[in-house]
Structures are given as C-alpha cells and as structure tokens.
Amino acid sequence: MPTEFELIDRFLKPFARKGAGVVIGPGDDCAVLRPSPGADLCVTTDAVVEGVHFTSAFFSDADIGHKALAVNLSDLAAMGARPRWFVCSVACPPEALARLPAIARGMARLAAKSAIMLAGGNFARADALSLHITAFGEVARGEALTRSRARPKDRIYVTGTFGDAALGLALRSIGRKPGAAVAARQLRPEPRLKMGLLARGFARAAIDVSDGLVQDLGHVAEASGVGIRIDAQKVPTSRTFGDLAANRDLALTGGEDYELVLFVPPARAVAFERACKQAREQVTLIGEATKKPGIELLNAPQLAHTGFDHFGGPASRPRGRARRPKG
Amino acid sequence: MPTEFELIDRFLKPFARKGAGVVIGPGDDCAVLRPSPGADLCVTTDAVVEGVHFTSAFFSDADIGHKALAVNLSDLAAMGARPRWFVCSVACPPEALARLPAIARGMARLAAKSAIMLAGGNFARADALSLHITAFGEVARGEALTRSRARPKDRIYVTGTFGDAALGLALRSIGRKPGAAVAARQLRPEPRLKMGLLARGFARAAIDVSDGLVQDLGHVAEASGVGIRIDAQKVPTSRTFGDLAANRDLALTGGEDYELVLFVPPARAVAFERACKQAREQVTLIGEATKKPGIELLNAPQLAHTGFDHFGGPASRPRGRARRPKG
C-alpha cells in the first residue's frame, strides 16, 4: 500500500505546480495565497459522496473528479467570480486508493480549462470515497452577484437547457441507457463561468440551479423579498428532452442542471441580450420578478414537489425562512 | 426528519452571524469575504471522520466539533496566521442528524475563543459522519512561517508538552481510563495561535506537530534542506506522562500533540525567549538545525517508527522526497 505521502505525490501530478497568486502551494501547513488588491473573495464548499452523488457503475473515475470540481465552479459562476484557487479534502477507503490518480486527472482537466489552481488538500481514511472541495474566486469589490438584490420587474433569464440531468437519472432508474448528450449533463456538468462573468455588468442577482429550477428560484425570491412569475413553457429544454419526457416537470424540478438564473433590470435587458449574442452565449427569458410574494407558474400543471432536499427527500413546498450556508 | 434547510438553520444557530470582513455569510451561492489590504491568505483543509479520528465512545459531540476546528487552527498557528474565517462541509448519516447541534456548539465555542468566523458550509448525506473544514487566516505579505526557511544553527524550540494524546490513546487501547488532563489533550487540543503570532517576529520556520515530533521535524528538514539534531531528553512531557510512560517513544513519535516547533536564528534566540516569558508562553529548546542531512536523536534509543502515516500505518523511516499538500 502506498504511504499517505506517496499518494499525495501521485494525486498532485496532473495539476499545475505554479500559478498566479500562489505564494506557497501544496506541502506546507497552509497554502499561502495572494488575493488581488481590492478584490472580494468568493468562497464555496461542496462535496460529492460515493453512493449518494455518484456510483462507479455510471461514473468513470475521471467523471467523478470532474464533477466534484464542477459543482463548486458552478457556485463561483453564480457569483460572477473569476476562479482562482481550490483545496480538496479526500476521504478514501484503502481499496479505492488506486482510483485517485484517474480522479485527479478528470479534476485537473477541468481545473486547467477553468484556470483554477489546486492550492492544497488533505487525505483521510474513511469507509466511503468522498471529495470535499472548497473553491475560491474573485470579484471586484462589491460586485458579487448575490441572491438578495432582485427587484420587482427584473427580467428572469436562464442559461442553457433544463431537465437533462434528471432525465438521465430517471432513464437509468428504469433500466434504460440515456444517450451520450443526456448522460454528459449528469456526469460532466459544465459550469457557466463565462456567462457568470458576462452577467456581472448587467444582472442584479443570480443563482445556479442545482436543486431544481423552481426551488432555487424560491431561494432568490426569499432572499430578495420579491415574487417570481415564470412561464413554464418558456423554460428551455434539449431536443432529446422534448422527445423523451412526457411532461416538463423534470425541467422545472429536476436537480443538477448547473445552469444560471439571472435577474436583469428591464433597462439593461436589451443590452444584456446583445452582449450574450455577441459572446455566443444562449440565454432565454422565462419570466419576471413581481411584488406579490410566492412563485407563480404559468402554463404548468400543479407540481408534485418543487425540488431536491438532501435529507427530507423531494421538497414538498417552496421554502419558508430557510437559510442555506452554501458558501 | 428535518429538511436540509432546517438542519442548516440549527447548525448555524450557535455561531456569530456577523463578523469583520464577511460581506456575505452563509446563505448564498458563495460566501463573500473581504481580505485585509496587503495580507497574504493562509488556507488549510483538514477532516475528522467517525471511526477513524473519533468515536462517540470516547468523544462527546461537543468534543468532535471542537477537534474538527482545532486541527485546522493548529495549521494556521504554524504559519503565524491570524484566524479569520472557515467553512465546514458536513457528511452525515440521517441517524446522526440529531447530533449536529451539539457538534456545532463545541465548534462554535472554539470559534468564538479563536476569533474565527463561520462563513459557509455544506451538508451531504453519507454513511459515516465526517467534518471537512477549510480555514483561512491572514499574515502580513510575505511573513508566513513556512517549513522551508530553516537554516543550519537555527535553535529548535517547541511549545507545551508532547506525548499525552498518544498516551491517552494507548491507555484506552488496554482498557485503562486516562485522567482528565491526558484525555483533554486528545479530545480538545488547544491550537497554539497566540504562540504562532508571537513567533512571527522571531522564527524563520515552523510546523505544527500532528503526526509525531520526529516525523514532522523531518518535513522541515526536507523542505529546508537542513539536518536536525535534538536531545530526546529535552523534549518536554507532562508530569503524568513521566509517571505513566516507561520510555519517551510516545513523546517523540506519538501523533496529535498539536504543539508548534519553531526554528529561531541564534541571534534572535535570547529576545525570543524573553518575549515568550513576558507573554507567559512556555517554550523549550530541544536542539538545533545542522548542515548534515538527516535527523540525529541524542539520548534516545532506536525508534521502532517515526510517526503516523494515514494509509501506510506507522511510518517506518524518515520521509524521503514526500510532499504534503496540507494547505
């Protein structure tokens, strides 16, 4: 069996060794990072656990590494932050040690693509494999896109399409194999980093959709003290989704889309759409914020539940006074 | 069963809600933190896992919360960093949810005492309870105490006493109950934050001892390209340790001491000792750095092993070219 130290060596190999703002990287008591002058630091932590967030029946090791980082990058995207550094705490059973280099390669590929640097980490023995990542991004002082600044009449835009990740899961649960495009949405989500940066000049509030569109819209409504009205028919879905899904429920409530929802003041909407077009980024207007509290779904049947809750199962109603320490 | 959101609410309750430099705390996609102008950011991540780092047979829930944060604070202390913020990623089986408020209370008490602020977190379902913390501290630019700047002739000082945590574990393994003072060393380690800050003006290199004194000295020797000579008889131990331990092996190689080792240039040694005395901080001179590579132990028998390795078991020889991404 490799020692903890050999293991760390192997895990580190696929990652870049030097990066901007890294004064001291892996190998000391702490990493030492040098934030940009005047920048605010956006910090998020998220975990993926074997048997809960992934199984090796469906995920390759490289997929696991990709996804563990991607879910954190998606949170940075939702703040409009530029990715800088991350640390990774690995819990691993001895029999899974041999998988770590492949996991690291999947993670390192996305890290390189996203210009984020591994600054440190930790390995601990455990009965199940899990990866806990804390990622850091930067925004100019005061410019982070929060959930709490949406105002009535703000236009609600979304990136990409919804429901494919949940569709893939549903197909698998009935023994059918999803096609490559649908599978990729679940295995290798692409954080909308470019869109987050672009939106910073236009949007007033943002969130990434990880627990279902309607539920995550509810978080913005609550944090901003506004209502939400969306047209369910306008929520964009992929062609495959249209072909296979009998109704749009999964697009409204399915988890793991990792798309962004952006609240843009009416006066900036035209310029925003133009900027997206120039950048070849797809956005779709699906509704607007309102004064009246609550979530109003036009053209939608009554939903059985609004999204995913990690312990309570499907959440049965829009959240009340919940606070989420996704940070 | 509480929902994920109710749970988060309950976990957050014991922690301070507002703190310096926290622009946005728990509840958004990311926490937004405002680093001090000109400061370097020290970042460390460490985990405690049920059945590996703690068992509820010996640890109260409050102990678990304390220890999860303490092991991270000890890394900040070893860099001479002032604690600022931390995030906590919790993996938890549903049947352990009821324990989280007590865990949070133990963690919050140490957080308040150490002036570190919970800025965010994450909850995930898992089969075993584990807490993965990433902690942030600050030092003035370029002033972090690394492992790599020790020079030959530097005096080697240690804080506190060694071996009690390992002694407690050993006593328990043979069915004997350690006394309160010894037990506390294992259950509620006290990170040497004050000493780390004090040392910054004097020491050239530092490390915290978590895996055994000799092994951790080896990390400094390797990172700095120096040798180490220490007098085993000078390694300070508690009175209880002297009464119960047949030899000093556990003080030299036992894990979880969470004391600091400080490398102080000869010219600053007198002033350093005076400053420690004024601050009522106990330090002990145990040896010095040398030109000749390797670790020389005076007045010590041959050790069976040098310290703890998380996967390979007891490490059987001083580390070669190991790199630890403790960061």
Side-chain angles (χ1 to χ4, degrees):
Chain A
M1 180 154 337
T3 68
E4 185 178 354
F5 307 95
E6 289 160 352
L7 197 66
I8 287 166
D9 251 358
R10 283 191 224 163
F11 194 86
L12 286 178
K13 208 161 261 176
F15 293 93
R17 294 278 166 152
K18 280 269 169 195
V22 179
V23 183
I24 296 173
D28 217 302
D29 293 302
C30 294
V32 180
L33 308 174
R34 194 157 289 171
S36 305
D40 281 346
L41 199 65
C42 297
V43 180
T44 182
T45 189
D46 222 331
V48 295
V49 180
E50 182 136 51
V52 178
H53 301 90
F54 63 86
T55 59
S56 49
F58 296 128
F59 284 71
S60 75
D61 289 333
D63 291 336
I64 295 166
H66 175 103
K67 187 153 182 179
L69 181 56
V71 299
N72 283 279
L73 291 173
S74 183
D75 282 323
L76 293 183
M79 303 302 279
R82 184 166 65 94
R84 295 299 310 269
W85 315 290
F86 72 107
V87 296
C88 180
S89 178
V90 180
C92 188
E95 63 272 19
L97 289 178
R99 295 164 59 191
L100 291 182
I103 290 173
R105 281 195 297 275
M107 192 182 284
R109 211 171 300 128
L110 180 59
K113 193 178 154 186
S114 311
I116 193 166
M117 173 94 192
L118 180 69
N122 184 67
F123 288 80
R125 194 157 42 80
D127 287 336
L129 177 65
S130 66
L131 304 163
H132 297 248
I133 285 180
T134 303
F136 309 78
E138 287 185 336
V139 291
R141 196 174 167 132
E143 289 196 4
L145 292 172
T146 69
R147 299 178 177 182
S148 60
R149 290 186 196 136
R151 293 290 164 264
K153 296 212 162 84
D154 280 354
R155 305 286 189 258
I156 302 175
Y157 290 91
V158 293
T159 61
T161 61
F162 287 75
D164 277 356
L167 174 66
L169 197 64
L171 288 175
R172 278 178 170 152
S173 74
I174 56 170
R176 287 180 59 187
K177 212 180 152 180
V182 168
R185 289 300 303 262
Q186 202 191 343
L187 303 176
R188 299 227 174 200
E190 288 296 332
R192 299 292 184 188
L193 289 162
K194 198 177 147 199
M195 195 59 221
L197 291 172
L198 187 155
R200 225 164 46 187
F202 303 97
R204 203 135 54 180
I207 193 168
D208 78 314
V209 178
S210 55
D211 296 335
L213 176 60
V214 172
Q215 178 165 309
D216 286 329
L217 280 168
H219 293 309
V220 179
E222 189 204 325
S224 293
V226 298
I228 302 270
R229 184 191 303 126
I230 66 166
D231 183 337
Q233 289 302 321
K234 290 192 176 157
V235 173
T237 56
S238 71
R239 183 179 296 179
T240 315
F241 186 92
D243 291 345
L244 290 177
N247 61 49
R248 301 175 71 79
D249 282 20
L250 280 185
L252 297 170
T253 65
E256 306 214 299
D257 294 306
Y258 299 108
E259 298 291 353
L260 301 184
V261 186
L262 301 160
F263 289 71
V264 179
R268 285 182 230 156
V270 173
F272 173 64
E273 288 189 25
R274 198 185 308 129
C276 291
K277 208 166 187 179
Q278 274 175 355
R280 294 165 187 266
E281 291 284 323
Q282 179 194 328
V283 287
T284 308
L285 180 65
I286 63 165
E288 65 173 24
T290 62
K291 272 191 182 167
K292 190 179 149 212
I295 297 187
E296 190 182 347
L297 289 175
L298 306 179
N299 298 314
Q302 191 65 36
L303 295 170
H305 60 86
T306 58
F308 183 77
D309 178 87
H310 223 296
F311 289 96
S316 56
R317 55 191 165 81
R319 310 304 328 159
R321 305 177 39 79
R323 295 168 54 93
R324 279 201 93 192
K326 284 298 296 299
Chain B
M1 182 156 332
T3 68
E4 187 177 352
F5 307 94
E6 288 161 352
L7 198 67
I8 288 166
D9 250 359
R10 282 191 224 163
F11 193 88
L12 286 178
K13 207 161 259 175
F15 293 93
R17 294 277 167 154
K18 280 268 171 199
V22 179
V23 182
I24 296 173
D28 216 302
D29 293 301
C30 293
V32 179
L33 307 174
R34 193 157 288 172
S36 306
D40 281 345
L41 199 65
C42 296
V43 181
T44 183
T45 189
D46 222 330
V48 295
V49 180
E50 182 134 52
V52 177
H53 301 90
F54 64 85
T55 59
S56 49
F58 296 127
F59 284 73
S60 74
D61 288 333
D63 291 336
I64 295 165
H66 176 104
K67 187 153 183 178
L69 181 57
V71 299
N72 283 279
L73 291 172
S74 182
D75 283 322
L76 293 183
M79 304 301 278
R82 185 165 65 93
R84 296 299 311 268
W85 315 289
F86 73 106
V87 295
C88 181
S89 178
V90 180
C92 188
E95 62 273 19
L97 289 177
R99 295 164 58 190
L100 291 182
I103 290 172
R105 280 195 296 276
M107 192 181 287
R109 210 172 301 129
L110 179 59
K113 191 177 154 190
S114 311
I116 194 167
M117 173 95 192
L118 180 69
N122 184 66
F123 288 80
R125 193 157 44 79
D127 286 337
L129 178 64
S130 67
L131 303 163
H132 297 248
I133 285 181
T134 303
F136 309 77
E138 286 185 337
V139 291
R141 198 173 165 131
E143 289 196 3
L145 292 172
T146 70
R147 299 177 177 183
S148 60
R149 290 187 195 134
R151 292 290 164 265
K153 297 213 162 85
D154 280 355
R155 305 285 190 260
I156 302 176
Y157 290 90
V158 293
T159 61
T161 62
F162 287 75
D164 277 355
L167 175 66
L169 197 64
L171 289 174
R172 277 176 172 153
S173 73
I174 56 171
R176 288 181 57 188
K177 211 180 153 181
V182 168
R185 288 300 300 262
Q186 204 192 342
L187 303 176
R188 300 228 174 199
E190 287 296 332
R192 298 292 183 188
L193 290 162
K194 197 175 148 200
M195 195 58 220
L197 291 172
L198 186 155
R200 226 164 44 187
F202 303 97
R204 203 137 53 181
I207 192 169
D208 78 315
V209 178
S210 55
D211 296 335
L213 176 60
V214 173
Q215 178 166 308
D216 286 330
L217 280 169
H219 292 310
V220 179
E222 190 205 325
S224 294
V226 298
I228 303 270
R229 184 192 302 126
I230 65 166
D231 184 337
Q233 289 302 320
K234 289 191 176 158
V235 173
T237 55
S238 71
R239 183 179 295 181
T240 316
F241 186 91
D243 292 345
L244 291 177
N247 61 48
R248 299 173 73 77
D249 282 19
L250 279 186
L252 297 170
T253 65
E256 306 214 298
D257 294 307
Y258 298 107
E259 297 291 354
L260 300 186
V261 186
L262 302 160
F263 289 71
V264 179
R268 286 183 228 153
V270 172
F272 173 64
E273 288 188 26
R274 198 185 309 128
C276 291
K277 206 165 187 177
Q278 274 174 358
R280 295 166 188 264
E281 290 286 320
Q282 179 192 330
V283 286
T284 309
L285 180 65
I286 63 165
E288 65 174 22
T290 61
K291 272 191 185 168
K292 190 180 147 209
I295 296 186
E296 191 183 345
L297 289 176
L298 306 179
N299 297 316
Q302 192 65 36
L303 296 170
H305 61 85
T306 59
F308 182 76
D309 177 87
H310 223 295
F311 289 96
S316 56
R317 55 190 165 81
R319 311 303 327 159
R321 305 176 42 76
R323 296 171 53 93
R324 280 202 91 193
K326 285 299 296 300

